[in-house]
Amino acid sequence: MGVKNLWDILESCKKTLPLHHLQNKRVCIDLSCWMVQLQNVSKSHSCMKEKVYLRGLFHRLRAFIAVNCTIVFVTDGSIPAIKLSTYRRRLNSGSEVTQDDRNLQNVTSLRRNMGSEIEEAEAQCAVLNSESLCDGCFTSDSDVFLFGARTVYRDICLGDGGYVTCYEMTDIERRLGFGRNSLITLALLLGCDYSQGVHGLGPESACQIVKSVGDNVVLQKVASEGLSFVKKKRSSKKQGAVSKCNNNKENSLDHDMNVNGSKHDSQRDDQHLQVIDAYLKPKCHSADSDAVHRALAQYPFQRAKLQQICAQFFEWPLEKTDEYILPKIAERNLRRFCNLRSTSSDLGLKLPLHKIPVKCPVSKISKHRKVQGRDCYEVSWEDLDGLKTSIVPADLVESACPEKIVEFEEERAERKKQNQRKTRPKKSEKGSSVTEIDLKLQRLLLDIELESSSVRNASFSSNVEISESRTAAPEVDLTNQDLRLDPKSSDDVSCNEVGPSTAKSEVIDLLSPSPPRQSRIVSKFPKSNGQCIDVIDLSESETDVSPEHERKARELRLFLASIRDEIS
């Protein structure tokens, strides 16, 4: 819990930071607060049965490993004697808090974690933070500031890239004017784990009273006067004009603060001093103790031990545990390598990648990726327990090994050039090639037509004979009008023109049949400009006996086939 309403008072000092803000840091974690948070998220029976809260803890650890954040878990120890009445009230045991319990001098601590020398986990975290042995504390107990913490992370979220809510003591001092002494005084006035506070006093009034006294002297004032100065401050604001309602409230304050010199007043003053002492001198391990040194030591990653734990609690096969944890281990190693290069550069030692004594964990970059709107790279790793590839942020690769990005961009540019060579020609090139094709096609068609004409002339001349070769056939006078051909029957007679060298004395044997008309199949071939070319499909007839004609026809068919393939 901590101090009542203190998180609301500190709301203006809250900052939301991305998860990678914890990169290369060491943080202390109040484990009991984390477990309470995770259990409150999944209170159903099925969630408890599936140990969802433990899986949530596992995934938080994965996120911390990925950003190379070292964590120190701290658990609660024995319950402080000054907190015993509050603890029993929270447990709702049904037993009343007796006068002996109120007399804290006669009450000893209650064991909560056997074998522990500390009492409050947040107090131990605060000591390590105040001694600069860690960079921050994770806890939801607001009294961690009263124990001396400087940087506190209250919440953590792994969705949307991950973020944490952070409170800095420097911001609290600058914006609100509250130091550690002022926060302890607010605990006495508003109520906390060690004190019930002053009845009827709200957070706004309490803040005004504490600010009016000042952080440097407020605890001395409480030690010398108790909380009687609260009554004086409130009375001075009323300037003597106090209504009956306010009189009743003041009487209530008089009763709660017990400024009448009674024995109960002395006990209450002693309690205030004990609360102050509990915050200023918490019972926990000192910064130079062996327990702290052991907790802060670096330990190697025990892959087999983690696999055993996940198999025990989640019934996961070994491969599933590796699938979850190995990519985070690889990313952590890359961040450590990046930190090494950054430190060397700050010291003036800028070595190229191949001269660094520590081998870069990245083998090569395979692809460029986008993960939740963030630029990333899919990279191949050097030997890492069988992990081949995984995805890491692009800015991390750029900081750790920019040489790998240069290699990747060069390879991609080379592949792009090779692909361009294999692509089709441009429109201008394609247009010029089509023009050349049209010219070749016209020449071929002209040659074939000339060849076809010579073949038809040869077949026609075989049916024309001199009149002397046929003695039985009478001569036919073409000038005789009686023998003129009927125009209507002209379709039944096929007549070809004869060149000027043909003699007039030649006669035509009308009794012999005319040569059969050769049918030609004409197809339309589209040009690039939208027009069409008439293409004659040649047949292997008996009249096409010329080898040259056959060669030309074969060449044309092959040429047309190549054009169709290129266009399609």
Side-chain angles (χ1 to χ4, degrees):
M1 172 186 169
V3 181
K4 185 179 180 182
N5 296 325
L6 184 56
W7 288 123
D8 296 332
I9 296 173
L10 304 180
E11 180 66 22
S12 61
C13 301
K14 182 175 71 173
K15 296 183 292 186
T16 301
L17 303 175
L19 189 61
H20 62 79
H21 167 77
L22 302 176
Q23 175 177 315
N24 303 324
K25 295 183 183 296
R26 175 191 286 153
V27 295
C28 293
I29 299 175
D30 185 349
L31 184 58
S32 61
C33 288
W34 266 24
M35 297 307 296
V36 170
Q37 289 177 353
L38 294 170
Q39 287 180 343
N40 287 338
V41 172
S42 53
K43 288 184 177 181
S44 64
H45 176 72
S46 59
C47 291
M48 297 298 291
K49 184 179 180 180
E50 295 294 330
K51 299 182 177 64
V52 175
Y53 61 97
L54 290 181
R55 297 190 184 190
L57 177 62
F58 173 80
H59 291 300
R60 285 188 179 186
L61 297 182
R62 288 178 58 237
F64 277 71
I65 291 174
V67 297
N68 190 33
C69 181
T70 304
I71 56 178
V72 179
F73 282 123
V74 182
T75 58
D76 289 317
S78 57
I79 301 174
I82 195 174
K83 190 179 179 180
L84 186 58
S85 59
T86 302
Y87 182 74
R88 287 179 176 176
R89 185 170 60 251
R90 290 178 181 173
L91 291 179
N92 195 19
S93 60
S95 59
E96 297 293 336
V97 180
T98 63
Q99 182 65 30
D100 292 336
D101 291 338
R102 295 182 184 273
N103 188 357
L104 301 177
Q105 296 177 349
N106 299 328
V107 180
T108 59
S109 299
L110 180 63
R111 282 292 181 185
R112 178 172 45 187
N113 184 4
M114 300 300 294
S116 175
E117 298 180 10
I118 68 173
E119 292 182 342
E120 300 280 33
E122 65 270 25
Q124 184 68 69
C125 294
V127 170
L128 296 179
N129 185 217
S130 63
E131 295 291 338
S132 300
L133 295 179
C134 71
D135 298 295
C137 312
F138 270 90
T139 182
S140 57
D141 287 338
S142 58
D143 55 2
V144 66
F145 295 104
L146 284 63
F147 288 114
R150 303 295 301 176
T151 302
V152 178
Y153 301 100
R154 184 184 181 187
D155 298 312
I156 178 174
C157 177
L158 302 183
D160 298 330
Y163 64 87
V164 293
T165 56
C166 176
Y167 298 81
E168 297 278 356
M169 195 63 190
T170 53
D171 296 334
I172 297 173
E173 293 169 347
R174 184 180 68 255
R175 296 181 182 181
L176 302 179
F178 292 147
R180 183 180 180 185
N181 296 337
S182 298
L183 296 180
I184 293 176
T185 306
L186 286 176
L188 293 172
L189 299 180
L190 299 176
C192 60
D193 292 340
Y194 304 152
S195 174
Q196 295 185 12
V198 177
H199 178 72
L201 186 64
E204 184 176 352
S205 299
C207 290
Q208 292 176 356
I209 293 173
V210 173
K211 283 184 179 180
S212 64
V213 178
D215 184 74
N216 295 329
V217 298
V218 65
L219 287 185
Q220 289 85 345
K221 198 171 188 64
V222 172
S224 60
E225 302 180 15
L227 297 181
S228 60
F229 72 93
V230 177
K231 174 187 174 182
K232 296 177 182 179
K233 291 292 182 181
R234 298 191 67 181
S235 299
S236 61
K237 292 181 181 180
K238 302 297 182 180
Q239 297 179 354
V242 182
S243 61
K244 293 182 179 180
C245 179
N246 287 336
N247 281 331
N248 293 334
K249 290 184 177 180
E250 294 297 339
N251 293 334
S252 175
L253 285 174
D254 289 341
H255 175 73
D256 286 329
M257 291 182 290
N258 292 288
V259 291
N260 53 9
S262 64
K263 181 179 178 181
H264 190 58
D265 173 49
S266 176
Q267 293 178 352
R268 184 58 63 93
D269 290 341
D270 290 341
Q271 180 183 357
H272 296 158
L273 295 177
Q274 291 182 24
V275 171
I276 295 173
D277 191 61
Y279 284 126
L280 294 178
K281 300 176 182 179
K283 185 180 179 181
C284 55
H285 295 291
S286 62
D288 57 351
S289 64
D290 293 338
V292 170
H293 288 314
R294 289 194 301 270
L296 300 182
Q298 292 284 346
Y299 296 97
F301 170 56
Q302 302 181 17
R303 180 186 179 190
K305 185 66 174 179
L306 180 62
Q307 291 174 340
Q308 179 183 353
I309 293 174
C310 292
Q312 176 183 354
F313 289 98
F314 309 139
E315 298 181 357
W316 286 353
L318 305 183
E319 296 77 13
K320 186 172 183 178
T321 303
D322 288 343
E323 180 183 350
Y324 275 125
I325 206 68
L326 288 183
K328 304 302 181 182
I329 295 292
E331 185 175 343
R332 181 202 64 180
N333 293 346
L334 183 59
R335 292 186 186 275
R336 290 181 176 179
F337 183 80
C338 176
N339 192 32
L340 174 64
R341 295 197 74 178
S342 177
T343 304
S344 302
S345 178
D346 294 340
L347 296 176
L349 186 61
K350 298 182 179 181
L351 297 176
L353 188 63
H354 65 279
K355 290 186 178 180
I356 298 178
V358 180
K359 190 175 182 180
C360 178
V362 174
S363 174
K364 63 176 295 187
I365 299 176
S366 303
K367 295 179 182 179
H368 181 268
R369 300 280 193 179
K370 278 277 189 180
V371 179
Q372 295 179 344
R374 187 180 183 185
D375 289 328
C376 297
Y377 286 117
E378 181 179 340
V379 302
S380 300
W381 302 100
E382 297 290 349
D383 188 21
L384 180 64
D385 295 326
L387 179 65
K388 300 300 181 182
T389 62
S390 66
I391 299 175
V392 294
D395 56 351
L396 173 59
V397 180
E398 185 176 359
S399 301
C401 47
E403 298 86 347
K404 298 293 183 181
I405 299 180
V406 174
E407 293 177 5
F408 170 70
E409 295 295 342
E410 291 177 351
E411 292 178 0
R412 187 166 66 171
E414 183 63 26
R415 289 194 301 267
K416 188 175 181 180
K417 289 181 180 179
Q418 294 177 358
N419 293 335
Q420 287 178 349
R421 294 169 187 167
K422 298 178 181 179
T423 55
R424 296 180 178 178
K426 297 181 180 178
K427 283 189 174 181
S428 59
E429 299 175 355
K430 188 174 181 181
S432 61
S433 62
V434 170
T435 303
E436 295 176 1
I437 292 173
D438 290 342
L439 294 175
K440 291 181 181 180
L441 183 60
Q442 291 175 7
R443 286 196 292 268
L444 282 173
L445 289 174
L446 181 59
D447 293 343
I448 292 174
E449 284 296 329
L450 292 175
E451 185 69 22
S452 299
S453 297
S454 62
V455 171
R456 289 196 300 269
N457 291 337
S459 62
F460 174 76
S461 62
S462 63
N463 294 323
V464 179
E465 297 179 355
I466 305 300
S467 60
E468 290 136 2
S469 63
R470 300 263 184 139
T471 57
E475 291 186 1
V476 179
D477 187 1
L478 296 177
T479 63
N480 192 349
Q481 296 181 357
D482 296 336
L483 296 178
R484 290 179 183 175
L485 298 176
D486 187 358
K488 297 180 179 180
S489 63
S490 62
D491 292 338
D492 298 334
V493 180
S494 176
C495 180
N496 292 321
E497 293 183 359
V498 180
S501 61
T502 305
K504 293 183 178 180
S505 60
E506 293 178 355
V507 295
I508 300 175
D509 187 3
L510 299 178
L511 298 178
S512 59
S514 300
R517 177 177 294 179
Q518 300 293 330
S519 61
R520 302 292 184 183
I521 301 176
V522 180
S523 59
K524 299 293 184 179
F525 180 76
K527 292 179 62 178
S528 60
N529 57 6
Q531 298 179 357
C532 295
I533 302 175
D534 292 339
V535 179
I536 303 174
D537 293 338
L538 301 177
S539 61
E540 300 293 339
S541 62
E542 294 180 358
T543 59
D544 299 335
V545 294
S546 173
E548 182 66 19
H549 186 273
E550 292 180 358
R551 185 183 65 78
K552 294 280 187 178
R554 189 183 309 109
E555 183 179 354
L556 179 60
R557 284 194 296 270
L558 294 176
F559 181 67
L560 293 177
S562 65
I563 293 176
R564 293 191 187 97
D565 294 338
E566 183 176 354
I567 293 177
S568 60

